[in-house]
């Protein structure tokens, strides 16, 4: 929340036309990511993580949504947020992800909110069976994905981009 408060101060100075709030993955640390030690490294159990993440994001939306005419919440699936039945055993499609589910919960809250400001927040997620969300805001096309898709960090980003481009996958023609 301290970061959100600092961002609010910046927004009050710059008065942007749009604010993009992102969950680029791993907001939830699943209990079944790696064999053996995952349960002992999490300080919150799964339901507590979901509850805390949802509450924090809702507070951030309430803080920032009044400050710009357009507000977007972008969420993408991630390797640690995937629903699993055991170590590395994913279940269902790519969007079967706890972080993506939190964005659906937030959208349900905002759509039904008494606040007109919260009702106008737009939620952006990848299309079914995709991992990249695309949003055009203020004339700039943005592509969002989780870091596990660009193995090798920034050095692996060019391979990800080439695969998106050659396959005409979501975000292949993004500006950023």
């Amino acid at each position: 929340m301290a970061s959100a408060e600092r961002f609010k101060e910046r927004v009050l100075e710059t008065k942007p036309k749009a604010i993009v709030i992102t969950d680029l993955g791993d907001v939830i640390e699943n209990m079944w990511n790696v064999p053996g030690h995952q349960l002992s490294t999490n300080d919150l159990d799964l339901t507590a993580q979901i509850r805390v993440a949802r509450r924090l994001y809702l507070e951030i939306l309430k803080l920032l949504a009044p400050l710009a005419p357009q507000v977007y919440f972008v969420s993408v699936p991630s390797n640690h947020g995937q629903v699993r039945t055991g170590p590395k055993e994913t279940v269902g499609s790519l969007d079967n992800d706890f972080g993506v589910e939190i964005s659906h919960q937030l959208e349900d809250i905002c759509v039904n909110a008494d606040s007109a400001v919260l009702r106008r927040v737009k939620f952006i997620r990848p299309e079914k069976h995709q991992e990249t969300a695309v949003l055009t805001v203020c004339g700039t096309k943005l592509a969002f994905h989780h870091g596990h898709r660009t193995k090798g960090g920034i050095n692996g980003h060019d391979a990800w981009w080439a695969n998106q481009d050659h396959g005409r996958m979501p975000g292949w023609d993004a500006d950023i």
Side-chain angles (χ1 to χ4, degrees):
M1 287 307 298
S3 293
E5 289 288 346
R6 284 193 305 275
F7 182 69
K8 174 186 173 185
E9 295 306 315
R10 176 87 169 127
V11 167
L12 290 172
E13 291 172 13
T14 60
K15 299 181 180 13
K17 294 177 184 174
I19 295 173
V20 180
I21 302 164
T22 60
D23 168 13
L24 298 180
D26 292 350
V27 69
I28 300 301
E29 185 65 38
N30 194 328
M31 301 297 174
W32 289 107
N33 288 329
V34 292
H37 70 279
Q38 193 72 41
L39 292 172
S40 64
T41 61
N42 290 347
D43 60 344
L44 296 175
D45 63 33
L46 191 54
T47 56
Q49 291 180 59
I50 292 168
R51 192 169 36 259
V52 168
R54 184 182 58 240
R55 286 179 180 167
L56 282 172
Y57 276 132
L58 182 58
E59 290 305 312
I60 290 168
L61 286 170
K62 290 183 342 189
L63 179 72
L64 300 177
L67 304 180
Q70 299 174 331
V71 178
Y72 301 92
F73 186 92
V74 178
S75 181
V76 297
S78 61
N79 53 338
H80 293 203
Q82 290 174 314
V83 176
R84 300 171 188 242
T85 59
K88 305 270 184 189
E89 295 178 28
T90 59
V91 179
S93 63
L94 294 170
D95 61 346
N96 195 15
D97 177 274
F98 292 111
V100 172
E101 172 54 25
I102 289 169
S103 79
H104 283 285
Q105 293 171 12
L106 290 167
E107 185 174 24
D108 290 343
I109 291 167
C110 290
V111 164
N112 295 299
D114 290 335
S115 164
V117 170
L118 284 178
R119 285 195 308 268
R120 65 179 170 78
V121 173
K122 298 209 179 342
F123 289 81
I124 310 298
R125 293 176 283 272
E127 294 179 23
K128 186 89 168 159
H129 306 296
Q130 301 295 329
E131 291 183 286
T132 301
V134 178
L135 168 66
T136 299
V137 61
C138 298
T140 302
K141 190 170 193 177
L142 308 170
F144 302 88
H145 68 278
H146 182 61
H148 76 287
R149 287 292 135 222
T150 54
K151 291 186 169 92
I154 193 136
N155 295 325
H157 198 79
D158 56 345
W160 172 85
W161 197 279
N163 288 334
Q164 295 300 101
D165 178 54
H166 298 333
R168 292 300 190 253
M169 301 297 286
W172 73 272
D173 59 346
D175 299 305
I176 298 174

